[in-house]
């Protein structure tokens, strides 16, 4: 099945370069739209319902962080890859907290975009070269005073971070899907982590999963 892709960047040359790269990667990838700012990204997401959006972070009119948050509020099934020239933690954490599944720098896009596509298709977060180190090294401390996870909750968290869905986690741990969902709610409540990206970031920092 073709993966429908929208590219959003305020530079036409960047959009054209990415479109050419993606076209050469795999015949299953189809570019169905392009936009130059966050407002256009929201409109394209609503009209075209793409599988993946390549989203620039810093754009005029509306930035990629706000656009990502609004898109995923209405279309949570869309996967968003953040593309940026910026590697500052403010941009990275902003995009991940908004729900982006991958963050890569534009200078590395040609080498990493294929890997990022594969990762998010498997519900795994992908952090490009140099990004994971920033995430791990500057992660917040908001969970330090929270209740510790139980052993079972830790197992469930690790499997979520590895990209497993509720059904797969239930089969792996010999639990009912209802029980797994209960553990997911407890994890979110205790750690205040409400997206796969946040859970993965936490798991990486705590050594519960790898970034490979």
């Amino acid at each position: 099945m073709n993966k429908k892709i929208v590219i959003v960047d305020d530079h036409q040359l960047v959009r054209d370069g990415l479109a050419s790269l993606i076209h050469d990667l795999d015949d299953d990838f189809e570019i169905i739209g392009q936009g130059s700012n966050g407002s256009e990204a929201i409109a394209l997401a609503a009209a075209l319902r793409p599988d993946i959006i390549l989203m620039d972070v810093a754009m005029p009119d509306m930035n990629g962080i706000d656009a990502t948050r609004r898109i995923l509020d209405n279309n949570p099934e869309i996967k968003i890859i953040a593309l940026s020239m910026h590697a500052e933690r403010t941009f990275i954490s902003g995009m991940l907290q908004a729900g982006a599944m991958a963050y890569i720098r534009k200078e590395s896009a040609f080498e990493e975009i294929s890997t990022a596509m594969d990762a998010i298709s498997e519900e795994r977060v992908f952090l490009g070269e140099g990004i994971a180190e920033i995430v791990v090294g500057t992660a917040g401390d908001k969970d330090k005073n929270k209740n510790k996870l139980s052993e079972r909750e830790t197992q469930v968290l690790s499997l979520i971070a590895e990209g497993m869905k509720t059904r797969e986690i239930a089969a792996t741990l010999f639990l009912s899907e209802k029980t797994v969902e209960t553990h997911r709610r407890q994890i979110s409540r205790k750690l205040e982590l409400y997206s796969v990206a946040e859970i993965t970031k936490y798991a990486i920092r705590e050594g519960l999963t790898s970034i490979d």
Side-chain angles (χ1 to χ4, degrees):
M1 181 182 295
N2 282 1
K3 292 287 186 183
K4 297 179 180 179
I5 299 170
V6 163
I7 300 172
V8 182
D9 193 286
D10 58 338
H11 293 95
Q12 181 70 50
L13 286 176
V14 173
R15 297 199 302 271
D16 290 344
L18 289 170
S20 177
L21 170 65
I22 292 168
H23 181 268
D24 291 340
L25 282 177
D26 196 319
D27 291 338
D28 289 337
F29 294 142
E30 179 185 1
I31 308 298
I32 60 171
Q34 295 187 22
S36 61
N37 57 56
S39 296
E40 291 181 8
I42 293 169
L44 288 167
L48 302 178
R49 297 296 179 93
D51 299 297
I52 298 169
I53 297 178
L54 302 181
M55 181 81 76
D56 190 10
V57 178
M59 295 181 290
D61 184 39
M62 180 185 293
N63 64 53
I65 296 172
D66 292 337
T68 294
R69 186 177 295 111
R70 290 180 58 178
I71 288 169
L72 295 180
D73 281 345
N74 295 314
N75 304 281
E77 73 282 357
I78 294 176
K79 304 294 191 302
I80 293 182
I81 297 176
L83 290 167
S84 182
M85 296 183 66
H86 304 284
E88 289 86 352
R89 57 180 153 174
T90 301
F91 294 103
I92 299 168
S93 62
M95 285 300 290
L96 294 179
Q97 289 170 10
M101 291 289 290
Y103 193 109
I104 58 181
R105 290 186 290 185
K106 289 182 181 179
E107 64 192 63
S108 305
F110 282 77
E111 294 79 21
E112 296 180 337
I113 201 163
S114 177
T115 305
M117 293 278 202
D118 291 340
I120 65 172
S121 295
E122 298 172 0
E123 301 292 335
R124 292 186 291 110
V125 172
F126 178 82
L127 304 176
E129 183 180 0
I131 303 301
E133 290 83 353
I134 295 170
V135 171
V136 173
T138 62
D141 297 326
K142 66 182 180 180
D143 54 278
K144 283 188 175 179
N145 296 321
K146 300 298 178 183
N147 296 328
K148 291 184 178 180
L149 298 182
S150 68
E151 181 177 352
R152 182 64 84 186
E153 288 166 349
T154 299
Q155 291 174 330
V156 171
L157 181 143
S158 298
L159 295 177
I160 293 172
E162 290 174 12
M164 286 194 181
K165 301 182 185 299
T166 296
R167 181 183 67 258
E168 296 169 320
I169 295 172
T172 299
L173 299 179
F174 302 102
L175 301 172
S176 69
E177 292 184 26
K178 183 177 179 180
T179 298
V180 172
E181 285 298 330
T182 297
H183 286 314
R184 291 184 76 133
R185 287 193 296 272
Q186 286 292 94
I187 291 166
S188 292
R189 181 184 65 81
K190 289 182 178 181
L191 301 180
E192 296 182 3
L193 305 174
Y194 301 104
S195 71
V196 172
E198 290 180 308
I199 287 173
T200 301
K201 182 171 66 175
Y202 175 90
I204 292 171
R205 188 173 79 247
E206 296 298 316
L208 301 176
T209 189
S210 70
I211 60 174
D212 296 332

